[in-house]
Amino acid sequence: GSELKPSASGICTALLVLLHRNAAAASGDGGGGLRLNFYSESCPRAEQIVKEQVRRLYEEHGNTAVSWLRALFHDCTVKSCDASLLLETDAATGLVSEQASPRSFGMRNFKYVGAIKSALERECPGTVSCADLLALAARDGAAMLGGPSPIPMRTGRRDATASQYGEVERYVPNHNDTVSAVLSRFAAMGLGAEAVVALLGAHSVGRVHCSNLVARLYPAVDGGFEPAYGAYLRGRCPTADAREDTRDVAYARNDRATPMVLDNMYHKNLLKGRGLLLVDQRLASDPRTAPFVKKMAADNGYFGETFAAALVRMSENGPLTGGQGEVRKDCRFVNAK
């Protein structure tokens, strides 16, 4: 319902302050070369096309909207928001895709990136980067899920010509990391504890595979779980000695109340001992993050504004701009020389 959407004016104000702050860094390499409406002359309908495609895909396969948020997180966390995540393994060149990393387990819907890119290529061949496509799709996906909107997102990113497969495990947090580990990884992107608690609120949508949960359920249920919730999860997830493939297919929804709404239900659940992943539940008790969990649980508008600002900040992590990288014609492959 409408109460889930924080006021648009509040979000815009918070973001304009953030963009203003970032503008100072824009002359260096902070958000260098990125600007609002980057394609206003080269491809005026670029952002509209992405939005139309994200909406169409959402209407056909609702979970795509969640996938765009996760894809942007995985792409940006590993060194740069440069669409290196989208490159597919290529035996001929020896390139190994970041999607092959264990940290990318459960990511899906990459095939639909091609549908968005094809629509952009039809309108403006070789103009809109895959890195900008990911950033815009995540923004529009958040809006489709009832999250903050509109989010002013700067564009002008260029695409990587290499995979960072070897770096993924070092950069992408694990589901059972300590709060300190997670905070230090986000700090490298200029994101503090408040932003981390907001961004992990994306776990308000989507699901978690049982392979990431069984250690908290067997042989005994983790004492951090609300007992009834632990019993429910044991019903969802087969035992730890079940065949690996069953655990990889079985899953539990992150949030049973509003499973497809990007809202503060995640933070409310943490306060009740219903954080699915260990790292989620730890946010509620760590003194550096707990105050933000409580504040977001109490105020969905505040969560929305903080999430929007953090999403923009994350999307501007070390972008390739100007003459760096390239604009890939097909997001899966480096352009032929």
Side-chain angles (χ1 to χ4, degrees):
S2 57
E3 76 283 356
L4 295 170
K5 296 207 179 196
S7 78
S9 61
I11 287 170
C12 280
T13 309
L15 280 158
L16 290 171
V17 169
L18 179 89
L19 290 173
H20 189 67
R21 252 186 258 149
N22 283 1
S27 51
D29 56 359
L34 302 185
R35 60 176 193 266
L36 292 173
N37 304 312
F38 180 86
Y39 298 105
S40 57
E41 289 175 14
S42 59
C43 189
R45 289 195 66 248
E47 297 197 22
Q48 187 57 35
I49 288 168
V50 173
K51 186 178 281 184
E52 286 163 7
Q53 293 297 319
V54 165
R55 175 177 301 258
R56 180 183 68 79
L57 289 163
Y58 171 76
E59 283 165 0
E60 288 172 25
H61 325 271
N63 60 30
T64 52
V66 182
S67 297
W68 308 141
L69 282 169
R70 187 169 176 203
L72 184 69
F73 169 71
H74 276 253
D75 187 46
C76 291
T77 307
V78 184
K79 290 194 164 177
S80 165
C81 299
D82 57 8
S84 58
L85 172 72
L86 300 178
L87 289 169
E88 290 190 354
T89 296
D90 183 350
T93 62
L95 184 147
V96 181
S97 174
E98 292 172 26
Q99 296 170 33
S101 165
R103 284 284 195 283
S104 302
F105 173 74
M107 294 185 78
R108 40 219 256 276
N109 293 321
F110 286 115
K111 62 187 176 205
Y112 298 123
V113 170
I116 304 175
K117 181 63 171 165
S118 297
L120 289 166
E121 288 297 304
R122 282 195 296 275
E123 179 95 3
C124 320
T127 306
V128 182
S129 69
C130 300
D132 278 342
L133 181 163
L134 276 183
L136 294 169
R139 168 184 80 174
D140 296 336
M144 299 288 347
L145 295 164
S149 169
I151 301 176
M153 179 79 75
R154 301 198 299 179
T155 40
R157 299 163 190 77
R158 310 253 303 166
D159 298 327
T161 53
S163 163
Q164 299 284 353
Y165 170 76
E167 305 284 345
V168 176
E169 301 240 354
R170 197 154 69 86
Y171 283 92
V172 178
N174 204 359
H175 63 88
N176 54 6
D177 270 350
T178 62
V179 172
S180 291
V182 173
L183 288 178
S184 73
R185 299 201 190 192
F186 279 94
M189 293 192 279
L191 293 159
E194 182 185 34
V196 171
V197 174
L199 281 175
L200 284 174
H203 288 168
S204 157
V205 287
R207 56 206 201 173
V208 171
H209 287 83
C210 289
S211 50
N212 287 334
L213 293 176
V214 286
R216 296 193 68 199
L217 299 172
Y218 303 97
V221 174
D222 181 328
F225 274 130
E226 175 192 48
Y229 193 60
Y232 158 77
L233 290 175
R234 273 189 145 189
R236 293 286 310 174
C237 294
T239 59
D241 51 17
R243 284 200 330 281
E244 199 63 40
D245 56 346
T246 18
R247 285 163 38 194
D248 285 353
V249 173
Y251 66 87
R253 290 211 174 276
N254 279 321
D255 161 16
R256 293 162 70 196
T258 54
M260 288 301 283
V261 182
L262 180 60
D263 58 10
N264 63 344
M265 194 59 76
Y266 165 84
H267 303 93
K268 291 178 178 176
N269 281 335
L270 294 188
L271 297 180
K272 292 176 182 162
R274 295 179 192 164
L276 271 186
L277 299 175
L278 201 51
V279 66
D280 290 328
Q281 197 54 57
R282 284 172 171 158
L283 293 180
S285 52
D286 190 286
R288 294 165 292 182
T289 49
F292 298 118
V293 172
K294 289 195 182 73
K295 195 173 171 191
M296 287 179 205
D299 185 345
N300 193 56
Y302 161 67
F303 159 64
E305 284 177 28
T306 313
F307 180 87
L311 188 73
V312 168
R313 187 87 189 85
M314 182 179 78
S315 81
E316 297 188 354
N317 182 40
L320 303 178
T321 55
Q324 301 171 298
E326 63 181 19
V327 172
R328 284 188 228 136
K329 293 182 178 68
D330 181 327
C331 293
R332 298 170 301 166
F333 309 107
V334 173
N335 292 341
K337 290 289 176 277

